[in-house]
Amino acid sequence: MVTLADVARQAGVSSATASRVFGRPDMVGAETRAIVIEAADRLGYVANSTARALAMGSSGLLGLVVPQLSSSYFAPLISAVQSEVERSGFELIIVDSRGCPESEIEIARRLRGRVDGIIFASPRSPGAALAEAARAFPVVTVNRELPDIDSVSVDVIAGLTELCELLITAGHRTIAYLGGPPGSISDDGRFLTARTVIGDNGGEVLRFGPVEPTVSAGAESLSMLQEAGVHAVIAYNALVAHGLMFAAATVGARVPDDLAVAAVDDLIDIGLGLPSLTAITQPMGEAGSRAGRMLVGQAARPSGTDPDTRARTIQHLVLPSTLVIGETC
Amino acid sequence: MVTLADVARQAGVSSATASRVFGRPDMVGAETRAIVIEAADRLGYVANSTARALAMGSSGLLGLVVPQLSSSYFAPLISAVQSEVERSGFELIIVDSRGCPESEIEIARRLRGRVDGIIFASPRSPGAALAEAARAFPVVTVNRELPDIDSVSVDVIAGLTELCELLITAGHRTIAYLGGPPGSISDDGRFLTARTVIGDNGGEVLRFGPVEPTVSAGAESLSMLQEAGVHAVIAYNALVAHGLMFAAATVGARVPDDLAVAAVDDLIDIGLGLPSLTAITQPMGEAGSRAGRMLVGQAARPSGTDPDTRARTIQHLVLPSTLVIGETC
DNA sequence: TTGTACGCGTTATCAT
DNA sequence: ATGATAACGCGTACAA
């Protein structure tokens, strides 16, 4: 490995000057700079980020913890966080907690002292554990508001309300809610919202599930809905909704005439590309870039900053979801 | 931040002893060990992995570069690599190259000096650039065999041959190949294999596409196939295949009677759960854990090891794909 | 078994 | 503008 000292020696300057060439280019004479750079890439010098991190007291590494890496829901978030973070000169380390609360905090412990901050996406851990982590380093949560932690969340309630009203307007009175996955914090909230809104409008909502958030689980659920005699369904998830539609198509049921289908999120952005579904589009990409920006803001702040100053300015950002009306409803 | 020195002072021992308690527990007296541990977690000591990395000359960090994070194809690979790597006490940093060759090597440059090794999954970069990276640190490629770099790849050719023979046996003579995505290295290979095998058996293969690897792109392609009068299609990808099937169901075309559908990979493992498709199952999870193991093996080797020793033992692991016969064919 | 002292590669302070 | 030097936190010969 070729070090800064090697470059300095080769260029005939001190290692301090060589260091400045890369860190503070303007603090060094134009010609010396040229010489050093020349020497550097002749020797193939690459800065050792570990040493730099130790000297500067920060690693330039940020963490993102998601419950499921392969989830279509988080894909745009992950992508956006990565863009945002790299744009600010940080590196991103993405970890999959596999939906397991204990592993979330286990991950936080492992990452401690290695990253400058962490984003927890839809964390399932107890708030206390997250707060504990937040005292160790900057933390931003997504879809989870905790008193002392910056957060950005998507307001599905608004879109869901709009959706329920749409269904009522369309004449539906009995509406199925097909929920999932088991253990999801947001599932209950969605059901309750639907029940309230629809109940207030003289309708009734039947809760089915929970089912796995997969196409086949959706397909298998169709008969259940048909037996219950429902003609409108709100699916937890676009995969489930498409399973329903797929099964409906194969048994000759018409959408939306025989069964109106809607979903709480869509899959347009993530390469599945099934646009005509009536769904609540959640701006996960936007959420990701906002969360990324918030974390960078915290992490970039000189570590000497008075902790109290940071504690007093907790942000809770809420992004609106929008109802996209397709042909399935 | 509480350092090892703090712990040592608190415990009344030297920092060397404190260090050994965590690194070489057996080299320290039982009671001193207890005291140090006591002091450590009373102070809430967490080892600074940056400093450790600098001192030991390795970071305990491995990198995984994928062309697309949200791809259902790579999801099981990513998951497996992560498991494997964590099992060996490493941390994994996952980066999305967005399918852009330049960004692959750009990433390699950025990660240099920060990670102990990298896995490139289905890299599109020129071989020379990858070889260059491989001289800087341990590298393993997936689905790309380069002379001097360890690799593990999945042999789709075998499964595809089998599939073609199946279609021929079923009586098909004119078979469509619906390819994509643009720029994929493997796409050409698949088409050529299909043409060769089917041609050898007196059949003919028509190439369509490339199309985006999405469900909707598949759905939109159906009419194209119907106009061409084909009754059997091999889709690049299971998403595309399901788009075709979805479109077929809605226009009343029967699968497999009117149109036999097969795909080169499936989506069973990744939460889409659509099992009845005839498809070539690629063991991406297995590939991931093997690649992870290979990289760990390289990275864990003491850095003082003679470079020549490592250079002479390049491994190219090839995993078989298997044809899974569903109802669509 | 334990302590002393040095090195890892870089940045930052303080001279010059 | 540049150079000497002290950190940064930890591992590890080497000595005791």
Side-chain angles (χ1 to χ4, degrees), chain B residues 63-126:
Chain B
L64 170 61
V65 182
V66 292
Q68 193 190 352
L69 245 178
S70 63
S71 158
S72 47
Y73 179 72
F74 291 110
L77 177 123
I78 296 174
S79 185
V81 169
Q82 185 171 344
S83 300
E84 192 60 40
V85 150
E86 288 180 0
R87 223 170 49 80
S88 308
F90 286 83
E91 216 74 44
L92 185 67
I93 147 169
I94 305 166
V95 190
D96 186 344
S97 71
R98 296 184 168 74
C100 166
E102 304 89 59
S103 95
E104 278 177 1
I105 64 171
E106 155 72 10
I107 289 167
R109 242 194 27 216
R110 286 204 322 250
L111 258 42
R112 186 171 175 176
R114 164 159 285 173
V115 300
D116 295 339
I118 287 194
I119 296 175
F120 288 101
S122 300
R124 290 171 166 72
S125 302

Side-chain angles (χ1 to χ4, degrees), chain B residues 5 28 39 52 73 85 97 115 129-130 145 170 173 185 195 207 218 222 233-234 259-261 265-266 274-275 282 284:
Chain B
V28 69
R52 182 202 301 264
Y73 179 72
V85 150
S97 71
V115 300
L130 293 172
E145 287 192 13
R173 286 298 169 268
I185 291 177
R195 190 175 62 178
R207 188 176 195 171
L222 178 66
V233 56
I234 299 172
L259 183 69
V261 177
D265 58 28
D266 74 343
L274 284 162
Q282 302 185 46
M284 296 310 290

Side-chain angles (χ1 to χ4, degrees), chain B residues 227-319:
Chain B
E227 283 164 17
V230 303
H231 295 278
V233 56
I234 299 172
Y236 174 81
N237 167 300
L239 289 175
V240 175
H242 278 96
L244 285 170
M245 292 163 58
F246 195 78
T250 57
V251 304
R254 312 274 305 177
V255 172
D257 305 322
D258 299 332
L259 183 69
V261 177
V264 177
D265 58 28
D266 74 343
L267 300 176
I268 294 178
D269 295 340
I270 56 100
L272 241 55
L274 284 162
S276 71
L277 177 69
T278 294
I280 300 170
T281 296
Q282 302 185 46
M284 296 310 290
E286 175 71 10
S289 64
R290 299 303 286 264
R293 221 170 305 165
M294 287 171 74
L295 188 63
V296 167
Q298 284 189 47
R301 208 153 310 182
S303 56
T305 306
D306 178 13
D308 293 331
T309 311
R310 304 195 313 208
R312 299 299 167 227
T313 58
I314 300 296
Q315 285 184 56
H316 291 298
L317 184 63
V318 177
L319 267 31

Side-chain angles (χ1 to χ4, degrees), chain A residues 11-35:
Chain A
V13 300
S14 81
S15 64
T17 302
S19 172
R20 280 188 281 253
V21 167
F22 302 104
R24 301 265 202 286
D26 43 319
M27 289 182 63
V28 68
E31 47 188 333
T32 4
R33 190 190 323 160
I35 295 176

Side-chain angles (χ1 to χ4, degrees), chain A residues 1-2 44 46-51 53-54 59-61 68-71 75-76 78-80 82-83 86 90-98 107 109-114 213-217 239 242 245-246 249-250 254 270-275, chain B residues 1-2 44 46-51 53-54 59-61 68-71 75-76 78-80 82-83 86 90-98 107 109-114 213-217 239 242 245-246 249-250 254 270-275:
Chain A
M1 165 186 276
V2 36
V46 180
N48 181 326
S49 12
T50 304
L54 182 59
S59 64
L61 228 53
Q68 194 191 353
L69 245 178
S70 62
S71 159
I78 296 175
S79 184
Q82 184 169 345
S83 300
E86 288 180 358
F90 286 83
E91 215 74 44
L92 184 67
I93 146 170
I94 306 165
V95 191
D96 186 343
S97 72
R98 295 181 170 75
I107 288 167
R109 242 193 28 219
R110 285 205 324 252
L111 258 43
R112 187 172 175 174
R114 166 159 284 172
T214 66
V215 174
S216 61
L239 289 175
H242 279 96
M245 290 163 58
F246 195 78
T250 57
R254 311 275 303 178
I270 56 101
L272 243 54
L274 285 162
Chain B
M1 166 186 276
V2 37
V46 179
N48 181 326
S49 13
T50 303
L54 183 58
S59 64
L61 228 52
Q68 193 190 352
L69 245 178
S70 63
S71 158
I78 296 174
S79 185
Q82 185 171 344
S83 300
E86 288 180 0
F90 286 83
E91 216 74 44
L92 185 67
I93 147 169
I94 305 166
V95 190
D96 186 344
S97 71
R98 296 184 168 74
I107 289 167
R109 242 194 27 216
R110 286 204 322 250
L111 258 42
R112 186 171 175 176
R114 164 159 285 173
T214 66
V215 174
S216 61
L239 289 175
H242 278 96
M245 292 163 58
F246 195 78
T250 57
R254 312 274 305 177
I270 56 100
L272 241 55
L274 284 162

